[in-house]
Amino acid sequence: MTQQEIILKTQRFVQETLKDAEGGHDWFHILRVWNNAKLIAKSESVNLFIVELGALLHDIADAKFYDGDETVGPKMARAFLETLQVNKEDMLHVERIITNISYKGGNFKQAFASAELDVIQDADRLDAIGAIGIARCFNYGGFKDRAMYNPAIEPKLDMTKEEYKKSTAPTINHFYEKLLLLKDRMNTETGKNIAQKRHDFMEGFLSQFYAEWNGEL
C-alpha cells in the first residue's frame, strides 16, 4: 500500500469515527488542522507522511470525551495503523505525537519532541485561536453547560495539569488560561506569523465583549 493510499484510508476512518463528535472536535476540526499542518510543513524540514498521519489522527479520541483517559487516542490510532501495516517506527512516532500534542495546562512539560510534532502542534493550536478558536471555545462551553462569563470568577493562570483538566470555569476564563497564551508557544515561524494575526483578533473580540457586557456600547 502506498503512503497516499494510507493517507486516504486514514482520512475516511477519521471522518467515519468523528461523524457525531462535538462541534469543536469533529471531522471539520481535523480537516482544518490537516490543512494547517500541510501549509506549515512547506516551510519546515519534516516527513510529510508523518505530519499528515499525525494531523489526521491527533484527536481520534480526545481524552476530554473519555473521562480524561489519555491512552485511548494513541491506542486507537495504533490499532488502526496496524490494519494498514504501517511500519512500527512510523506508528510509534504517530503515537508519541498524539500523546504529547495537547496543551494540558501551562505547567505541563511534554516528554517527546520532533519536527513533525512541532508542525502538527502549531496547526492544532492555530485552530484554537482567532475566529474559529472563539467559536470553538463557546461551542464547547455550551456543550459542557458552563457559564459564558462571571466577573466574580477570575482566571487561574497557574493550574496544574489535573486542575486544568477538571476546570469548570466560565468560557471567557479559558481565553486567559489557554487561548491568549498560545501565540507565544508556537514552534515554527509560519505558525508564529499566523498566530499573531489570530491573537490580535481575539483581543479585539474581548474588548468588544467587555464593552457590551458593561453597557458601554
Side-chain angles (χ1 to χ4, degrees), residues 140-156:
Y140 185 73
F143 178 78
K144 299 295 286 186
D145 199 27
R146 293 179 182 174
M148 183 169 62
Y149 175 50
N150 185 338
I153 302 176
E154 296 184 0
K156 289 191 65 176

Side-chain angles (χ1 to χ4, degrees), residues 22-209:
E22 179 269 332
H25 300 81
D26 59 3
W27 161 246
F28 292 109
H29 164 62
I30 302 298
L31 180 59
R32 292 190 301 269
V33 172
W34 185 24
N35 287 333
N36 283 337
K38 288 186 285 186
L39 173 64
I40 295 169
K42 291 178 180 179
S43 302
E44 303 296 321
S45 179
V46 291
N47 182 329
L48 186 59
F49 178 60
I50 296 296
V51 168
E52 292 202 59
L53 279 184
L56 284 167
L57 292 166
H58 82 278
D59 258 353
I60 193 62
D62 191 301
K64 288 189 289 292
F65 306 104
Y66 289 84
D67 296 322
D69 189 343
E70 298 173 5
T71 68
V72 178
K75 288 178 180 177
M76 188 180 295
R78 170 179 274 274
F80 171 72
L81 294 176
E82 284 176 343
T83 69
L84 303 184
Q85 299 182 321
V86 173
N87 71 64
K88 290 184 178 180
E89 183 179 349
D90 288 345
M91 278 197 294
L92 180 59
H93 196 163
V94 171
E95 278 188 275
R96 286 173 170 170
I97 286 170
I98 296 170
T99 299
N100 289 276
I101 191 171
S102 295
Y103 181 69
K104 298 184 178 73
N107 295 318
F108 174 74
K109 303 296 182 183
Q110 65 186 44
F112 173 73
S114 76
E116 290 75 16
L117 171 57
D118 286 348
V119 167
I120 302 166
Q121 192 170 61
D122 278 8
D124 189 37
R125 288 177 173 177
L126 285 175
D127 205 54
I129 59 179
I132 292 289
I134 292 169
R136 291 182 66 211
C137 188
F138 282 98
N139 186 83
Y140 185 73
F143 178 78
K144 299 295 286 186
D145 199 27
R146 293 179 182 174
M148 183 169 62
Y149 175 50
N150 185 338
I153 302 176
E154 296 184 0
K156 289 191 65 176
L157 303 181
D158 58 350
M159 285 188 286
T160 65
K161 174 183 172 182
E162 289 306 312
E163 287 176 325
Y164 179 79
K165 286 169 61 176
K166 294 177 181 178
S167 175
T168 59
T171 296
I172 283 291
N173 289 30
H174 194 58
F175 283 79
Y176 300 95
E177 294 166 353
K178 177 183 178 182
L179 307 191
L180 292 172
L181 305 178
L182 294 180
K183 172 179 69 69
D184 294 326
R185 301 188 183 209
M186 305 300 286
N187 304 300
T188 67
E189 286 305 312
T190 301
K192 290 174 183 177
N193 290 336
I194 300 173
Q196 182 64 62
K197 297 174 184 177
R198 299 190 182 195
H199 180 90
D200 292 345
F201 184 90
M202 290 192 299
E203 288 193 324
F205 167 81
L206 287 170
S207 294
Q208 180 74 16
F209 181 92

